[in-house]
Amino acid sequence: MQNNPNTTLVTPIAPIATTTHGGRAKCLQRLSRLDLPVPTTVALSFDAVHDIANGHLPDIEAILGEFPQDALLCVRPSSEDPDWGGPSAILNIGMNDARYEVLCATLGTDAASALFTRFVQSYAIHVDRLDPDMFDDVTGEGPGALQQVLQAYEVEQEIPFPTTRAEQLAGVLKSMARAWEGTSARLLRQAKGAPADAGLGLVVQQMAYGVGQGECGSGVLQLVSSKTGLPQITGRYLRQSQGRDALLGDASLFISRDPRGPSLEECVPDCFAQLVEHARLMRTRLREEMQVEFTIENGELHILDGVRVARSSRAAVRIAVQLARDKVIPIQDALMRIEPGTLNELLHRQVDRHAKRDVLGTGIAASPGAATGKLVFTATEAQASAARDEDCILVRRETSPEDIRGMHAAKAIITERGGITSHAAVIGRGIGLPCVVGVGDIRFQTRKSQLLTKDGRVIPAGETVTVDGTNGVILLGAPEMQEAALDDAFQDLMDWADAERDIGIRANADTPADAQTARNFAAQGIGLCRTEHMFFEPGRLTVMREMIFAETSDDRRAVLERLLPMQRTDFVQLFKIMQGQPVCIRLFDPPLHEFLPTDRDGQHGLADALGLPLSDVIRRVEAMVEYNPMLGLRGVRLGVTVPEIYEMQARAIFEATIEASRDGDPVEPEIMIPLVSAKREVELVKSRIDAIAAAVRTEKGTDFTFRLGVMVETPRAALRAGDIAQHCSFLSFGTNDLTQMTYGLSRDDAGRFMSDYVRQEVFDEDPFHSLDIDGVGELLTLGAQRGRTSRPGITLSLCGEHGGDPESIAFCRAAGFDYVSCSPFRVPVARLAAAQLAIGHKIQ
């Protein structure tokens, strides 16, 4: 038995592995190596359990031969990953009339009756698959209840309850094996990330009763808080109980001394001290914080199992970091133990996992975090709420650049339309604002300023709701929250990540506040500053509209002269915040019609502001309408046809460079041309920017340097990167638009059907969420190769929202990119993901 690879006695040298016998079996072997008081155990491998499911039992008598003849047994599941679950444990196998009589004499009639009764009910429900309702008429306790249970079983099955230990054990093994391989169980564990062919091991263990006449009971103990990860001896102990009963009953004792009631430490101090010592040994030798499952039988301690402590994201970071600080594990191991995406829960407030939830609707989780406030339906109302110091939630069918101030004033955003890279999603992630988009199961009745849920509830403006942007849920009311936790453990983890990673991490930042957040999260500069958002401030918007209505180049320049000092001030602030770090500024990108009012009231106001007839304003607005503005007159196309805008921005950048460099490290700005598709576009814009640079140097009598590059976001730019690179210092791939153009998908509308496409396996994943390696990735690869062939020293980067996605970072690293840039609040996620990639590469 000891050397049988499929049915083996658990000893320190037995042939047991997690991949063949499961995590529980391997843990029990490790506990036996530590000489802990673990009951005798036999482990069945995945192959053995698979054979059982197919009708081929192992040698039952050989298994039983490893245990005393009078021992009761239990069978527990042992999957490779405990999160994959498994069938319920069955306790007290071997109970029959003869064994019952013996136990009555040693444990007492009530205790023996409780053991037998529990076993019969468990066997009936989990092994024979009988309806639990068959025991509803059982009353009382002790021998009387036992006889009722046995009689109910016999009536239902039309045969007496099985009496031999071999027959009972065989029934349990067959039931658990078949349950694991059933369709429902397979689908359930696949939903938890298990492969379709995941195996199950089983462990057969001698029972430590936990009931009897002396000090008996069962419980669990751990050394840290599952919520915070801080040192705290926690757990429960229940006298006269088995298994994990202590976690279910109100009669449980505390583990350590507690003013709220009696504890194991006070009642059984010797066992408590042993438990704590065993848990500390397990932490050191198993290199993990473990929860100890134990039983006390007549004052004697038995360790039944050790499982990894359940933990929140906050606790996971604290536990991993503390293990590394204590030199229990290497720093690299600590970094690899944290799933990068879980850091989002530390960076933002979250709805407490135990809070009651009244769900109004669901959508796409576009920006993590949670916030509570009163519903408002316009950006103006959001600003008014902020002025009254009232928290509000902004509801829009979809947001536009005009909503920027309202978005900054709100605590969260809900939109009816949009996907993971829609305007609301991108801005929300950039400023750390919880956001749920594409909410399809709520009717947005914006004219009535109300929401209509699918169950018929009307949610009017002013109603308090909570947006859970982490899970894509809208809740009624104000559930309990858990605050963000950027503590010393988080900072240590980030410092260790920076020491390991080998690709740069920058942030996308449009405002000084964004830049400060990026700096706080140790971004290595700004990889994308979208300047258009700076023009939507009320004082600037009117000037911008006046420029759009200007008839001649000189008139446009005259108007832009008024915008120049405002733009220069923006850049000075950015440069000073990021002092010594690179700042990549994207020149003006959106179509001009976005700055014009679309409603009649707004057009009246514009006519009054500009002193023009309303008919002229309406005619001009209508003339600027494009059938497909995202593919129309925007980006570099504006820079070529309306060059005055780029000239003003270049001057503002250069004058800000000189001013910000006076009091600190020299600033070297990076200027990025958007939406390029032809080499000639770059030549035209470059010549004008060079001329502005020369003029500013002469006027100011000060020299400065800058870098000019291109945002590669059209397929043609990627394919012609070799030509374009001749005029550039860097190529930054904007994968939001590049994905949109490659697929022919609107990133704002794709959310309506994307879940159906992923579910039906048209796409493996939403390409706006995780980079499409096969299609868009090939364009990136071609662009990078051709750019570097033409200009070997050129800098390559990715500045779309994919920059914060670990899988996309892996692609960029493998392709030799210099850095990725993402929303400020995703910078820590990217730093950790990059470190894990570098560590994984060294291990291979």
Side-chain angles (χ1 to χ4, degrees), residues 200-224:
L200 176 73
L202 295 173
V203 294
V204 183
Q205 190 174 69
Q206 183 173 341
M207 285 293 302
Y209 298 132
V211 296
Q213 297 177 330
E215 177 60 49
C216 296
S218 64
V220 296
L221 174 144
Q222 60 191 55
L223 300 178
V224 296

Side-chain angles (χ1 to χ4, degrees), residues 323-354:
L323 287 170
R325 287 172 176 168
D326 295 342
K327 302 191 184 307
V328 175
I329 61 174
I331 285 174
Q332 293 78 5
D333 192 356
L335 288 167
M336 297 299 283
R337 290 188 179 194
I338 306 301
E339 172 62 36
T342 63
L343 293 184
N344 283 322
E345 295 184 30
L346 277 69
L347 303 175
H348 307 271
R349 294 180 79 209
Q350 304 289 339
V351 177
D352 191 286
R353 65 173 65 187
H354 302 297

Side-chain angles (χ1 to χ4, degrees), residues 406-457:
M407 296 169 74
H408 278 274
K411 294 299 181 182
I413 308 167
I414 305 169
T415 69
E416 181 181 27
R417 302 170 187 149
I420 199 71
T421 55
S422 64
H423 180 268
V426 171
I427 299 303
R429 287 193 294 273
I431 62 178
L433 199 65
C435 180
V436 178
V437 303
V439 182
D441 55 0
I442 293 180
R443 288 181 59 190
F444 284 54
Q445 299 179 326
T446 54
R447 289 187 179 180
K448 297 181 180 179
S449 294
Q450 65 185 29
L451 301 176
L452 183 62
T453 67
K454 64 180 179 181
D455 60 3
R457 287 186 284 178

Side-chain angles (χ1 to χ4, degrees), residues 170-202:
V172 170
L173 295 179
K174 286 188 288 186
S175 171
M176 296 177 79
R178 289 169 180 167
W180 176 261
E181 301 207 353
T183 302
S184 297
R186 185 171 65 252
L187 292 175
L188 183 61
R189 64 176 176 269
Q190 281 184 259
K192 298 177 180 178
D197 60 349
L200 176 73
L202 295 173

Side-chain angles (χ1 to χ4, degrees), residues 5 9 165 223 273 277 281 344 478 658 722 736 791:
L9 181 67
R165 193 166 64 161
L223 300 178
E277 188 60 33
L281 180 62
N344 283 322
I658 293 171
N736 296 352
R791 188 162 187 169

